[in-house]
Amino acid sequence: MELRHELLGFENRPLSVPMRRILSILIFWSAVYASSTAQTLTDYLKIRRFHHIIQSAGVGSLETLMGTRIVEVKGIVKGSFRVGELTSLLLERADGDTLVIEAPSAPVWLSGNEVPARLLVRANRGEQGGLLRAVLLSAAPEGSMLSYDQEQARRSAEKQPHPSGYMRKYTATSRHATRVWNLPASQVSPIYAAFIRKQNRRLSDAEALHIANAVVGFSIYYGVDARLIMAMVMAESGFDPGSTSRTGAMGLGQLMPGTAQGLGVSNAYDTTENLYGTVKLVRSHLDKYRRQTGDDYQSLVLSIAAYNAGSGAVRRAGGVPPYRETQAYVRRVINLFAAFRGQS
């Protein structure tokens, strides 16, 4: 059988023997590269799981790190340099700072410039204010890890969030929601995605589904009602991942820079990171005020108020702070949450 192709104007002419050899070599090395990339990702995930890492380290956690710890960092590899026998990578983080990472055995695909990547490193700082030393353990392309994160969120959505094993279906109009019972959790994300898309027409279907998957996945992971997160994100940003408030709050959940750092969020405009931080923060507020009040509804109200105004303001006010913005926010979120639950 003769190998034929229709590219570069060769229109179905048989390839010469030299061309066949060249093409065979290219195919061989393409297969080797693809296999190497897959193996790299597999090894990366094994190391990641072994060290119980579920997200990249935020800027704040790196700045305050003392001792030795295995962490995941992400950013853009701007290039590499060599001093003697030591090769190092220059990683540009989300905040614009550059982290130098020693790389005794960096994969070939990291040798270029402007390479988005996740890196597992052994980070060490010997003393307060000392330099952070980072040594590369493994690396994975950012695109592959984003696909992995989305798949994990999808799988999380299929887990049973309640003893009944079901979540409820809500189709919403502009003001009200209709309740339909007994919808499997795996079908909730498309319902939420359609609603999100209606609220923010600038989103593509894929972007709306990404937001929905993250809301459902992280809500299940932290044991928070996904309808509460939907209500809060709708009130905060109208489902706009690029939203920035006049006070500097960022992204879908409108996280302030200091809050984002404390939650381990390195890029608050990233959908997955932002919603991870949002749901984690809501969970911590719910736990705190449930312990204080012993009442589910009061803890819900105070948690919403604390999310908007800060827990310090709630403590000083002894309840919902007397700020017009906070009180309006609490009312809106409670009303949206009730509507999504099919309640008046």
Side-chain angles (χ1 to χ4, degrees), residues 70-139:
I70 308 300
V71 297
E72 181 183 71
V73 294
K74 76 174 188 174
I76 298 176
V77 176
K78 309 294 286 187
S80 61
F81 63 92
R82 191 177 183 86
V83 178
E85 297 299 317
L86 180 64
T87 299
S88 297
L89 303 173
L90 293 175
L91 180 75
E92 184 180 87
R93 304 184 313 200
D95 62 342
D97 284 349
T98 299
L99 179 64
V100 177
I101 300 173
E102 298 175 21
S105 56
V108 175
W109 59 269
L110 270 182
S111 60
N113 296 323
E114 306 291 329
V115 181
R118 304 267 187 104
L119 309 176
L120 288 173
V121 302
R122 179 180 288 105
N124 174 269
R125 179 178 283 113
E127 59 183 0
Q128 191 71 35
L131 292 176
L132 180 71
R133 183 189 177 197
V135 179
L136 181 68
L137 299 179
S138 187

Side-chain angles (χ1 to χ4, degrees), residues 19 57 63 207 264 304 322 342:
M19 283 297 295
E63 296 299 333
E207 289 169 330
I304 296 170

Side-chain angles (χ1 to χ4, degrees), residues 162 166-170 177 179-181 188 192 195 215-216 219 224-234 239 333-334 336-343:
H162 301 294
Y166 292 96
M167 293 183 72
R168 298 167 186 170
K169 171 182 175 181
Y170 292 89
R179 180 174 57 191
V180 182
W181 300 94
V188 171
Y192 283 11
F195 176 77
V215 166
V216 173
S219 295
V224 177
D225 194 320
R227 295 162 294 180
L228 173 61
I229 302 303
M230 287 285 286
M232 295 180 74
V233 173
M234 185 172 173
F239 300 105
V333 171
I334 290 292
L336 285 170
F337 184 35
F340 292 156
R341 296 171 69 190
Q343 300 173 347

Side-chain angles (χ1 to χ4, degrees), residues 249-324:
M250 303 173 290
L252 289 163
Q254 291 291 276
L255 300 175
M256 294 297 289
T259 302
Q261 288 185 10
L263 292 166
V265 175
S266 59
N267 180 6
Y269 295 107
D270 177 85
T271 291
T272 302
E273 285 200 52
N274 188 288
L275 290 173
Y276 163 82
T278 296
V279 181
K280 183 178 181 180
L281 182 58
V282 171
R283 176 74 270 168
S284 68
H285 284 325
L286 288 170
D287 290 342
K288 175 180 179 178
Y289 294 113
R290 183 66 177 79
R291 289 192 300 269
Q292 289 184 7
T293 67
D295 181 85
D296 288 339
Y297 184 74
Q298 286 299 316
S299 63
L300 173 65
V301 171
L302 294 178
S303 295
I304 296 170
Y307 191 93
N308 178 264
S311 55
V314 172
R315 184 183 66 254
R316 290 190 295 272
V320 177
Y323 311 145
R324 182 178 301 175

